[in-house]
Amino acid sequence: MLKPMKNWALITGASAGIGCELSKLFAANGYNVVLVARDRIRLESLAAELRTRYPIHARVLVQDLSQSGAAQKIFDELVDLPVTALVNNAGFGVFGLFSENDLTRQTEMVQVNVTALMQLTHLFLKPMLLRGSGRILNVASTAAFQPGPTVNVYYATKAFVYSFSYALADELDGSGVTVTTLCPGGTRTEFFDRAGHRPLNAAVLMDAALVARIGYRGLMHGQRVVIPGLLNRIMAFISKRLPGWMTSPVVRRIHK
C-alpha cells in the first residue's frame, strides 16, 4: 500500500495548460496533489497518469471557481489535509470592448481571477502559518504591468494578483510561508481559444511546460516575482516605467 506523504499541493486550473504542467512537476518531486477544475474527465485522466508514474496520492475536486462559495467548499473538503503548497492558477480572459462584453461573463472573470484566488489564499494561509511553513504560487501575467484596452477587465484582474501577492509576500516575511507571483507572457495554452481571440504571432508564445518549470523553480527558491522569458522580462521592465498614456495605445494595437 502507498504510504501517506506529508506534502500536499493544491493546484487550481489543473486540467490543462500551465496548471496541468505544474501538477506534473509537483508529483514528480514527491508531492501528493489535489487537482481542481471544472472538467472531471480531464482531471481524472491526469490523476490516473500521475498515480501511475509517481508514488503519490492524487485527488480530484470538481469545482467551478466562478461560483460564489467555491473557495470555501474546497477548503472544507480538505480541512484535514496538510496543504503545504497552494497554486492559484485558474483564470481566464475576455477580449473586446468593456461596454460590449457580457457583464455576467466579466463578473465571472473577476470571481475566478480575483475573488476565488484571494479567498483560497486566505483560507489555506492560516494553517500554513500555524505550521510555520508553506508555499503559495499565484499566477498573474505580464498584463499586470500596464492597462489593457480591449482586454480591460482581464488586465485589471492580473494587476490585482500582482499587487496583492507582492504585498502579502512582504507581510509574511520571516513567517516560514512564501508567496511567489508568476507572470507569464503569451503561452501556448487554451487561453486564447477560450477568450475568443488569436494571438498576434503564435510563434512567440512560450511552451506551457517551460513556463511551469520556471515558475516551480522560483516557488521552491522563495522568489517573490517570476517572469519567464527574457523578452517578457524586458517588456515588463519597460511597461512598469512608462506612463499609461504611452502603454495603453500599444496594447490596444497589439490586440486588434
Side-chain angles (χ1 to χ4, degrees):
M1 175 181 285
L2 189 65
K3 293 182 179 179
M5 303 168 72
K6 65 178 181 178
N7 287 325
W8 283 84
L10 168 62
I11 304 106
T12 67
S15 60
I18 297 171
C20 177
E21 298 299 334
L22 282 166
S23 301
K24 295 175 183 178
L25 287 169
F26 276 101
N29 285 278
Y31 279 80
N32 299 311
V33 293
V34 180
L35 311 175
V36 179
R38 298 178 302 168
D39 191 327
R40 179 179 295 276
I41 294 176
R42 280 187 171 184
L43 289 179
E44 294 287 6
S45 176
L46 175 59
E49 175 189 342
L50 297 181
R51 294 188 201 106
T52 300
R53 294 179 62 183
Y54 308 108
I56 58 98
H57 297 280
R59 290 181 58 175
V60 165
L61 283 184
V62 178
Q63 194 62 245
D64 184 351
L65 293 178
S66 70
Q67 301 302 306
S68 177
Q72 187 66 53
K73 289 179 182 177
I74 293 171
F75 181 75
D76 290 345
E77 182 74 20
L78 305 175
V79 67
D80 295 324
L81 204 67
V83 173
T84 55
L86 170 65
V87 179
N88 285 305
N89 167 74
F92 69 94
V94 175
F95 286 79
L97 298 176
F98 173 74
S99 60
E100 297 177 1
N101 282 334
D102 178 69
L103 178 58
T104 299
R105 187 64 171 156
Q106 294 186 94
T107 303
E108 289 175 345
M109 178 169 47
V110 174
Q111 173 67 31
V112 174
N113 295 9
V114 173
T115 306
L117 177 146
M118 181 270 293
Q119 291 175 341
L120 285 169
T121 300
H122 189 271
L123 291 166
F124 285 97
L125 172 59
K126 289 194 173 184
M128 290 180 182
L129 289 173
L130 288 174
R131 291 191 298 267
S133 65
R135 302 178 189 275
I136 299 172
L137 179 66
N138 288 335
V139 179
S141 166
T142 52
F145 305 126
Q146 64 279 305
T150 71
V151 210
N152 189 339
V153 179
Y154 174 76
Y155 273 54
T157 63
K158 292 306 181 180
F160 171 88
V161 174
Y162 173 78
S163 179
F164 163 72
S165 303
Y166 197 97
L168 182 59
D170 188 77
E171 290 179 14
L172 296 175
D173 189 32
S175 69
V177 181
T178 62
V179 180
T180 299
T181 311
L182 176 60
C183 299
T187 306
R188 283 191 289 277
T189 67
E190 298 174 358
F191 172 85
F192 293 100
D193 291 335
R194 186 179 180 189
H197 180 78
R198 278 195 163 193
L200 182 65
N201 185 355
V204 303
L205 299 182
M206 289 188 69
D207 181 68
L210 176 58
V211 171
R213 286 198 300 273
I214 294 170
Y216 181 86
R217 184 169 64 242
L219 174 68
M220 292 302 145
H221 288 166
Q223 292 179 237
R224 289 195 179 181
V225 180
V226 178
I227 304 175
L230 177 59
L231 180 59
N232 290 327
R233 290 195 293 275
I234 292 172
M235 294 304 296
F237 178 86
I238 294 172
S239 296
K240 287 191 289 185
R241 285 157 179 79
L242 292 178
W245 64 266
M246 293 183 68
T247 57
S248 292
V250 174
V251 173
R252 183 165 187 167
R253 283 196 296 271
I254 289 172
H255 289 298
K256 271 190 174 181

